[in-house]
Amino acid sequence: PQPLLEVRGLKVHFPIKQGIVLDRTVGHVRAVDGVDLALTQGQTYGLVGESGCGKSTLGRAMLRLEKATEGQVIFDGTDLGTLRAEPLRRIRRRMQMVFQDLLGSLDPRQSVRSLLLEPLKTHGLSEADRAEFGADRPASHLAKAESMLELVGLPGSALAKYPYEFSGGQRQRIGIARAMILNPDLVIADEPVSALDVSVQAQVINLLERLQDLLGLSYVVVAHDLAVVRHISDVIGVMYLGKLVEEADSDDLYATPLHPYTIALMSAIPIPDPEVEDQRERILLRGDLPSPARPPAGCRFHTRCPYRQPERCDTEVPELRVIASHPGRRVACHYAEEILTGDVTVSDPTL
Ligand code: SF4
Ligand code: MG
């Protein structure tokens, strides 16, 4: 089947401006620098990496909230880059976003009622909802808003309140209700639980999963934390400095991370069961993320990679490729096979 969402050769570069009136472009932040991926209907794609790796920009570019410098975003067969304002507005109702913090992303002076009704004012009820709640009228909009609140586990009385009157977890439920009120096909959730206590994180993730099953949604979940995306994601893409460095089924990625960067990210996750001895080789991520305005030559990870083989890694860009022993996955490392078999080992212990 045709994927619901396809990203082809996508680049999003932001000019760095200087001069008194910022009229000189002195370089570009290469936030997204050549990404290809596809998402099937009903699937969840987890996008992980450190902050600054470009994952949020990629998420926003998928909804065309950021313009592509190069490449395409194809949603349900339509290249979003070719759409004029009106058809783009119409297709946008099918693609919604959940943000990290509702208070930060929305006007805190708006009541829950007006937050929930706003998207309906712009787009109207979906066809299915018009069948259920009646034609687009204030009363049917309100009925839909109440049913959304119920769906996310909040009482109808929440409508009269303001976001600051709720806990972080409840606010996130309101943000989810707002994103889902138009019956979208695709929801991009950018760090949906990062601002929440660990105990509340699981509840919100469970809610997202329940809504997915109920409404047949597809998700892209952006997170810096691999533990958060593990259970909800079918496929995980690991990003580093604007590029995907590894992509695999969630379970496969956790069982056998192939890219040194993924291995490092995994090494940072505590092992849930203390009885189980961890057999993985642990490597630590040292140093800072280099500037995305000036990514290192060759393999972008080479300045931090403990497996680095300078002759090749510092000069030759590794392609995201399928390796024979693990079909169905993609990895961008010259030495993925050798690291797996132990033929290339940690070469620089000071890293
Ligand atoms: Fe490390 Fe080289 Fe692989 Fe890059 S290509 S991840 S530097 S071993
Ligand atoms: Mg799922």
Side-chain angles (χ1 to χ4, degrees):
Q2 155 182 299
L4 179 67
L5 179 78
E6 213 180 329
V7 170
R8 289 191 197 151
L10 188 72
K11 295 187 180 179
V12 182
H13 293 181
F14 300 111
I16 306 167
K17 299 284 194 184
Q18 261 180 22
I20 291 167
V21 290
L22 296 181
D23 55 347
R24 267 188 307 130
T25 300
V26 293
H28 286 87
V29 173
R30 302 192 230 168
V32 178
D33 210 17
V35 168
D36 295 271
L37 60 82
L39 173 68
T40 312
Q41 169 85 50
Q43 254 194 346
T44 298
Y45 194 106
L47 212 48
V48 296
E50 289 162 280
S51 88
C53 71
K55 56 194 192 305
S56 288
T57 306
L58 176 55
R60 291 172 53 80
M62 286 171 175
L63 302 188
R64 211 157 178 272
L65 299 171
E66 302 288 355
K67 229 178 172 167
T69 308
E70 223 181 282
Q72 296 166 296
V73 175
I74 298 157
F75 177 77
D76 202 11
T78 302
D79 181 347
L80 297 185
T82 65
L83 293 182
R84 290 165 166 281
E86 182 49 30
L88 184 63
R89 194 189 69 84
R90 268 187 272 119
I91 213 167
R92 275 242 175 87
R93 73 167 301 141
R94 301 178 57 196
M95 326 165 73
Q96 295 292 315
M97 190 135 188
V98 170
F99 298 92
Q100 172 166 4
D101 178 14
L102 189 65
L103 273 187
S105 63
L106 295 168
D107 185 352
R109 292 166 303 180
Q110 267 191 305
S111 66
V112 172
R113 177 194 177 108
S114 102
L115 284 173
L116 290 186
L117 293 182
E118 194 179 65
L120 293 177
K121 257 188 214 149
T122 313
H123 292 281
L125 288 168
S126 68
E127 237 166 84
D129 284 340
R130 258 180 275 135
E132 187 175 345
F133 298 103
D136 273 306
R137 288 176 288 118
S140 21
H141 285 192
L142 203 58
K144 172 67 180 176
E146 278 169 356
S147 93
M148 279 315 300
L149 281 178
E150 191 185 315
L151 210 53
V152 300
L154 289 172
S157 61
L159 283 175
K161 295 186 176 174
Y162 290 82
Y164 65 82
E165 297 180 75
F166 295 91
S167 70
Q170 289 170 327
R171 274 206 299 277
Q172 211 50 349
R173 288 172 192 270
I174 296 166
I176 290 167
R178 179 180 152 103
M180 311 261 177
I181 203 160
L182 295 173
N183 293 4
D185 299 305
L186 172 68
V187 171
I188 314 269
D190 191 0
E191 302 277 7
V193 298
S194 303
L196 305 176
D197 292 341
V198 176
S199 58
V200 183
Q201 288 188 350
Q203 295 169 15
V204 172
I205 292 287
N206 288 343
L207 172 65
L208 286 171
E209 292 206 291
R210 198 164 57 77
L211 292 176
Q212 178 169 50
D213 292 344
L214 210 62
L215 308 173
L217 293 160
S218 307
Y219 288 144
V220 174
V221 178
V222 175
H224 64 278
D225 185 343
L226 265 170
V228 163
V229 292
R230 173 169 193 171
H231 294 290
I232 197 172
S233 301
D234 301 298
V235 179
I236 292 180
V238 181
M239 271 188 94
Y240 189 78
L241 281 179
K243 286 182 177 290
L244 277 181
V245 295
E246 181 161 11
E247 182 190 73
D249 276 7
S250 176
D251 293 338
D252 294 341
L253 190 84
Y254 280 83
T256 325
L258 295 177
H259 194 282
Y261 181 60
T262 317
I263 297 173
L265 287 181
M266 299 280 217
S267 297
I269 303 178
I271 304 305
D273 184 353
E275 302 287 307
V276 178
E277 204 186 324
D278 182 19
Q279 301 294 337
R280 289 175 318 192
E281 183 171 12
R282 296 197 153 237
I283 63 171
L284 290 177
L285 203 52
R286 301 276 173 84
D288 295 328
L289 194 68
S291 163
R294 245 171 276 194
C299 172
R300 289 181 180 194
F301 189 55
H302 85 246
T303 56
R304 301 167 84 191
C305 181
Y307 296 96
R308 167 188 177 209
Q309 308 291 311
E311 326 69 64
R312 195 166 173 204
C313 298
D314 295 10
T315 56
E316 197 184 319
V317 177
E319 294 298 320
L320 191 62
R321 65 195 171 93
V322 176
I323 67 169
S325 59
H326 291 72
R329 312 179 48 162
R330 300 190 293 163
V331 58
C333 169
H334 296 307
Y335 296 100
E337 291 89 343
E338 291 84 352
I339 291 169
L340 202 57
T341 55
D343 292 325
V344 166
T345 53
V346 172
S347 58
D348 185 351
T350 64
L351 267 175

